[in-house]
Amino acid sequence: MSEAKKSREPRMPKVFEALITLVLLIAVLAIGIVIYGADVHVPMFVGVCVAAIMALYLGHKWEDIEKMMLDGIYKALQSVCILIIVGILIGVWVNAGVVPTMIYYGLQLMHPTIFFIATLLICSITSLATGTSWGTMGTMGVALMGIGFGLGMNPGMTAGAILSGAYFGDKMSPLSDTTNLAPAMAGTDVMAHVKAMMLPTAITYVICIIFFGVLGVTQYHGGDADLSRVTEFANALNIAHGGVFHINPVLLLPPVVVIVAVAMKMPAIPGITLGIFVGAIVGIIFQPGNCDPGTLFAFGMNGFSFTDDMHALLQSSLSAETYETMVTLLESGGIKNMMSSVAMTIIAMMFGGIMEGTHQLEVVVNQIKKLAKSPAALVTVTEVTCVLSNMTMPEQYISMTMPEQYISIVVPGRMYAEEYRKMGLHPSVLSSALEGAGTVTSALVPWNTCGVYIENTLNITVPEYGMFAMFNWLMPVINAPGSAGP
């Protein structure tokens, strides 16, 4: 009887068993997304089923597996709240004229040949000042995507410049939670951590500036056609030129309020909510014909949509291409439009909860550590683990200042700290590796919450912007050989 009882006790997974779960997850995701063009949700749920079956095989009772999934979902509720509130914010800001005003003034300043560099710098400064890539993408990023549309830019290139700047600031800003978390996990201080990151980050950033500068000059020459489209797009925004929104500099106040609130370390949920209320107030003042409590409630729930009169006006005054661009860009936001992200977050947390509770990822990483025979190899292994974490363990503690990369810093940081000490490496080498891969690569994974957030916020998918997110994929490559020096 005691032997039978003992056989039913859960056991640690073997390496090949954990690899089966991970390989099948990645295979199902790849087949579903690449071959069949399916949304990520159901393939991800198949991965949950695989992880649950493996957990049963390892001796876990269904009640325990269910608790693992529910624990993961519970820990993701802050993420769900933020996604919902961001949906409300976008719907309210578009209707209030906030986003159109940001786009309008940007169109007056931008020129095709300098647009990508300007986008990179604007997002870098904003993210450095606030410490948040999500906040930067949700404010400056949305506006810059609109400006890019108006200038006739490739949306993937525009998003790549936005992400490169946003993640540069998130990685280097002392205000960023990841910048403070990485040294804490590695056992060093923030200043030593930032100093260790400076050289590889500076090299990567200079390459990004050159890349986006050359891209702007070679791809776009600022000809009359481009500038005439800018004028057409801008006029359609401004009611003074026959457009549909009242444009006023005061409408820039809501994003400033959000950026300042986050920079002052106000928690994400009240900070974003404050931006919603400020946007609603200025909208009622400046868009009296379109913005009232009823429309704010409706657009907060369903997302902004043009009225029939607005559609008729835009169709009569715009080319078909510009009209479609404006509708695609501005008819967005709302709680309902965020439900896909919410569902993806919940499913991902179900998988993450099982992987954490059954120690499947842990045994794989422990085996990988044996491959690190030199400092450079150890840094490379650390970065691979960070990427693996971003792919298979979506974050469970997400906020506007602490996005998805949290677990890809915590797990490898805890697992490899002793190995760095054994090799005589300063802890800042580990913290630099954690940020060099963990913080930036989550945006390149379609089923990762960062990838989902970007798709819903900027209306673009990972395959469309991935190759142009120069900073995000180049940073681990530059960091690996450069951070393991003496």
Side-chain angles (χ1 to χ4, degrees), residues 101-173:
T101 295
M102 296 168 71
I103 296 172
Y104 179 82
Y105 285 123
L107 290 172
Q108 310 309 307
L109 299 174
M110 286 293 179
H111 190 277
T113 55
I114 65 168
F115 172 73
F116 292 130
I117 288 182
T119 296
L120 176 69
L121 294 175
I122 289 170
C123 290
S124 298
I125 293 169
T126 303
S127 192
L128 278 169
T130 62
T132 166
S133 56
W134 276 32
T136 299
M137 290 183 288
T139 52
M140 291 295 132
V142 172
L144 288 165
M145 285 297 292
I147 296 169
F149 274 120
L151 292 172
M153 297 298 188
N154 181 310
M157 297 178 184
T158 303
I162 291 169
L163 266 65
S164 294
Y167 279 92
F168 164 78
D170 190 6
K171 181 178 185 290
M172 296 299 293
S173 174

Side-chain angles (χ1 to χ4, degrees), residues 336-454:
K336 287 185 177 179
N337 288 327
M338 284 295 181
M339 285 300 101
S340 176
S341 298
V342 169
M344 184 64 251
T345 301
I346 291 173
I347 296 171
M349 294 314 109
M350 293 166 64
F351 180 82
I354 296 174
M355 294 298 289
E356 181 179 4
T358 58
H359 307 285
Q360 292 187 61
L361 183 63
E362 179 182 343
V363 298
V364 174
V365 172
N366 286 338
Q367 191 68 26
I368 293 174
K369 287 195 301 186
K370 299 176 182 179
L371 302 175
K373 302 297 184 181
S374 66
L378 181 59
V379 171
T380 301
V381 167
T382 303
E383 293 189 342
V384 170
T385 306
C386 291
V387 175
L388 181 64
S389 297
N390 275 328
M391 294 177 65
T392 61
M393 292 284 286
E395 180 46 42
Q396 301 172 346
Y397 304 94
I398 302 171
S399 74
M400 203 167 177
T401 56
M402 186 168 60
E404 172 103 359
Q405 312 92 326
Y406 193 94
I407 204 168
S408 65
I409 291 174
V410 171
V411 173
R414 290 174 177 172
M415 290 185 172
Y416 293 125
E418 183 62 28
E419 298 298 318
Y420 279 76
R421 283 192 289 270
K422 288 180 180 179
M423 286 195 181
L425 298 173
H426 193 276
S428 63
V429 178
L430 170 58
S431 65
S432 178
L434 297 175
E435 282 251 69
T439 296
V440 302
T441 59
S442 59
L444 303 177
V445 182
W447 55 89
N448 184 288
T449 308
C450 278
V452 174
Y453 176 84
I454 293 166

